[in-house]
Amino acid sequence: MGGPAPDPVFVLRGAESPVTAVTFLNVDATEGQRDKYIAAGTQDGKILLWNLKTKCKTTEWVAHAGSSIHWLHSESPDILWSLGRSDSVKAWNIHSSPAAVSTYPVVDYLGFSSSHIIQVNSNTKLLSLPGPSQEGVTVWDIDKNFKISTLVPPDVKAFGSMMQPRWMKIQDVIILGVLYESGHIALWDWANSKILSQHQVTENPMCFTFDKSSQTGIIGTAAEKIYVFSIQNNLNISIVKELSITNAGISSCVIRPDGKLFVTGGWDSRIRFFSSKKCKPLAVLMYHKKTVECIAYSKDNIEELGGGFILAAGSSDKSVSLWNIFN
């Protein structure tokens, strides 16, 4: 990790409270063109949009009044999903002026979990969201607007609060992975409300992510430890590497879309890059002054910022840094 640390290619400002969620999205423009944007959610319930070509903030609105935003997601042009803590998941059409087109309530959950969406086929898109209760996850079929199941561990005291759900595809089978306060990661048969397999790590987990091509994932914890895990075709979960970092606390983690790198955002304000193949540290970036609350990779090439995959990092210092590194 020798040599001077790079600077961000740009820093987006304008948020009035900590940035707690971030994502990239496309917005249909004139003559069939699509403009690339960054969306940021804040602790005071607002969503802000910046055009990546002009680097200017274009839109800002209150999406979840009185609730911090803990998840943003966009996979189709003009549609942005958001999760407000203890409030709801909303889908926004942002083509002209932002308008909520769908709302899914979060029931009796007071934690900081995100949500997750997967496109199963052309007719089915699934949403997982926190609740009911601290331990539960609810699964919706978005296209049919139908609640499929509620997933609660058989021994809620042993598992503790639900930390994060995430869809996974193993051998063409859609599985819902759920991370719990106890250190358990459970793989659910979401249609039949049944745990298929589980594994427990020793440290309190805060976040996780998964790469379907390599069938490996990352768990960030409240301690000085990061776990790398793999899932076999028989759904057996195993820890393949334990990594130690200098300061405790990982608030967010992401794997680059090509699977070559994974990145963590820390309570110590640092952004850490690792190689996926050897799990070796590559760089530690120390730009932000406060906790890096959220990180996200662009899904494709961003020519406006020099080309390649771009990393966005949102911080409690109310800014979003953009990084073009290791492309």
Side-chain angles (χ1 to χ4, degrees), residues 13 24 33 64 76 88 104 106 109 136 138 178 191 199 268 324:
R13 305 186 189 279
F24 292 80
Q33 299 297 312
H64 298 271
S76 54
S88 61
Y104 301 86
V106 172
Y109 179 84
T138 300
V178 183
H199 188 86
D268 62 358
N324 189 334

Side-chain angles (χ1 to χ4, degrees), residues 52-129:
L52 287 178
K53 189 173 185 178
T54 64
K55 315 296 192 300
C56 293
K57 185 177 71 172
T58 61
T59 311
E60 177 180 342
W61 73 97
V62 177
H64 298 271
S67 298
S68 54
I69 295 175
H70 288 282
W71 175 70
L72 291 174
H73 173 78
S74 180
E75 59 185 24
S76 54
D78 300 334
I79 300 298
L80 177 66
W81 291 83
S82 65
L83 166 65
R85 184 188 178 205
S86 309
D87 179 30
S88 61
V89 169
K90 295 180 180 180
W92 302 89
N93 188 322
I94 58 174
H95 184 257
S96 50
S97 59
V101 294
S102 300
T103 300
Y104 301 86
V106 172
V107 179
D108 297 332
Y109 179 84
L110 303 177
F112 297 90
S113 171
S114 61
S115 292
H116 202 217
I117 286 175
I118 190 169
Q119 186 79 49
V120 179
N121 53 48
S122 59
N123 299 315
T124 305
K125 185 182 294 183
L126 300 176
L127 167 70
S128 59
L129 74 162

